Amino acid sequence: MKKYVSIDIGGTAIKYGIICADGGILVHKEMPTEAHKGGASILEKAAQIIRQLLKEHTISGICISTAGIVDTKKGAILYAAPLIPGYTGVCLKESLEKQFQIPCEVENDVNCAGLSEYLSGAGCGFDPMLMLTVGTGIGGCLVTGRQLYRGVSYSACEVGYLRMRGSDFQTLGSASSLCRRVSENKHEPLDDWNGRRIFDAAAHGDRICIHAIDEMVDILGLGIANLCYVLNPGAVILGGGIMAQESYLSERIEKAVRFYLLEHIASAVRIAFAKHKNHAGMLGAFYHFKACHPDS
């Protein structure tokens, strides 16, 4: 059975491993991204991963999921946030294919997560399907007819920048804004608070944490409703680290969406939480590669 290297490049960690032709994950590891070292360092880390895996496996393809806006035809980073200096302009596909003589395809990480959920996860059977990832920012992707909708500049569904209440969706509704809100209201250092601690405190009755989560949920409900008015998806799948708190958030987000959304639209859309979690980027990168190289 053919094997593929799949690498998921995030701002904090690089997840990587071997995926079989049937989508089964044979190997799954991760390492720190060390984003501050820049794009050249990330390219070298990807090459090191491939060299390491080639020692034990025969590889038919290189599948890359990455942060940033990606030109999928060139396999190049069109834009990356300052978190990864010098990443904009890096051509992963050209460089890795030249080094290893193995076909390589590159796609945005949120698009990969969405593709994995659409084809084999929580969004399976729903079309169109909207995926939102809530973390440091808020990312989105739309899948319909088994295809990602990328837009004319590969930047469709950059939903975090949607203008909202004098700011934007991700500034108000992301996990990082939740932590900032709690630290400010408690007059404590931001480094003292993360999502897990906030939800633990809320579960034990901390009113400041409960109120901060309620504010985040309200923003998410408004943003999701506005996107549903435009896209009318069959399902909205929620991913990202904060969505591990499904038991706390599920009913609350559903209620917030219904508050802002007309009932006949709300009744037709499923709000669900991502299934693939840490494997989403790797799987989606593999699915994207296979769509580009169905015979490889």
Side-chain angles (χ1 to χ4, degrees):
M1 183 178 290
K2 291 182 177 179
K3 299 176 185 177
Y4 306 82
V5 173
S6 192
I7 303 173
D8 179 18
I9 301 167
T12 302
I14 298 176
K15 304 176 184 70
Y16 65 94
I18 298 290
I19 297 184
C20 295
D22 63 1
I25 298 175
L26 270 183
V27 176
H28 181 227
K29 300 180 179 181
E30 68 176 75
M31 65 169 64
T33 305
E34 298 180 302
H36 64 281
K37 292 185 177 180
S41 172
I42 287 175
L43 180 58
E44 179 53 31
K45 280 177 182 280
Q48 288 174 0
I49 287 167
I50 296 164
R51 281 193 288 268
Q52 171 193 332
L53 293 174
L54 279 170
K55 292 177 181 178
E56 301 178 13
H57 304 274
T58 300
I59 302 302
S60 298
I62 300 167
C63 321
I64 306 285
S65 162
T66 180
I69 298 175
V70 177
D71 180 333
T72 54
K73 292 181 180 178
K74 295 181 178 179
I77 308 301
L78 289 173
Y79 173 78
L83 174 68
I84 311 178
Y87 201 36
T88 298
V90 171
C91 192
L92 292 160
K93 175 181 171 71
E94 180 182 24
S95 177
L96 295 175
E97 286 185 342
K98 186 176 180 179
Q99 287 186 64
F100 298 104
Q101 302 300 305
I102 299 171
C104 173
E105 299 297 337
V106 186
E107 180 56 278
N108 167 266
D109 54 357
V110 180
N111 282 350
C112 285
L115 197 58
S116 73
E117 292 299 329
Y118 177 89
L119 291 173
S120 62
C124 193
F126 295 90
D127 196 317
M129 187 212 78
L130 174 67
M131 174 92 186
L132 296 180
T133 57
V134 183
T136 304
I138 298 179
C141 85
L142 182 71
V143 191
T144 183
R146 301 180 67 84
Q147 299 291 321
L148 287 160
Y149 179 70
R150 297 185 178 89
V152 297
S153 63
Y154 302 98
S155 54
C157 278
E158 287 288 340
V159 299
Y161 300 103
L162 288 172
R163 302 306 298 172
M164 184 183 295
R165 295 179 179 172
S167 184
D168 61 49
F169 192 15
Q170 62 190 2
T171 299
L172 297 174
S174 65
S176 53
S177 66
L178 170 67
C179 297
R180 186 183 65 251
R181 195 174 291 125
V182 168
S183 72
E184 288 175 354
N185 288 335
K186 284 183 172 289
H187 307 289
E188 295 177 3
L190 181 58
D191 289 346
D192 287 356
W193 289 95
N194 57 41
R196 182 170 298 162
R197 184 183 176 193
I198 290 169
F199 279 91
D200 284 346
H204 288 88
D206 187 307
R207 299 307 303 173
I208 288 177
C209 291
I210 290 170
H211 183 65
I213 294 170
D214 288 346
E215 285 184 304
M216 180 188 73
V217 166
D218 182 63
I219 291 293
L220 291 174
L222 175 59
I224 292 168
N226 284 338
L227 289 165
C228 287
Y229 281 124
V230 176
L231 301 172
N232 196 203
V236 177
I237 309 303
L238 303 174
I242 203 76
M243 292 305 160
Q245 305 292 335
E246 179 179 354
S247 60
Y248 191 102
L249 290 173
S250 181
E251 185 177 337
R252 289 170 170 84
I253 291 176
E254 181 93 28
K255 183 178 179 181
V257 172
R258 289 186 174 277
F259 178 80
Y260 289 109
L261 199 55
L262 290 174
E263 175 56 31
H264 84 277
I265 301 175
S267 63
V269 63
R270 180 190 183 204
I271 308 294
F273 286 70
K275 170 185 173 182
H276 288 308
K277 304 188 188 313
N278 283 339
H279 293 161
M282 287 175 56
L283 275 173
F286 165 73
Y287 292 145
H288 170 65
F289 179 92
K290 290 300 290 180
C292 297
H293 303 273
D295 299 322
S296 292

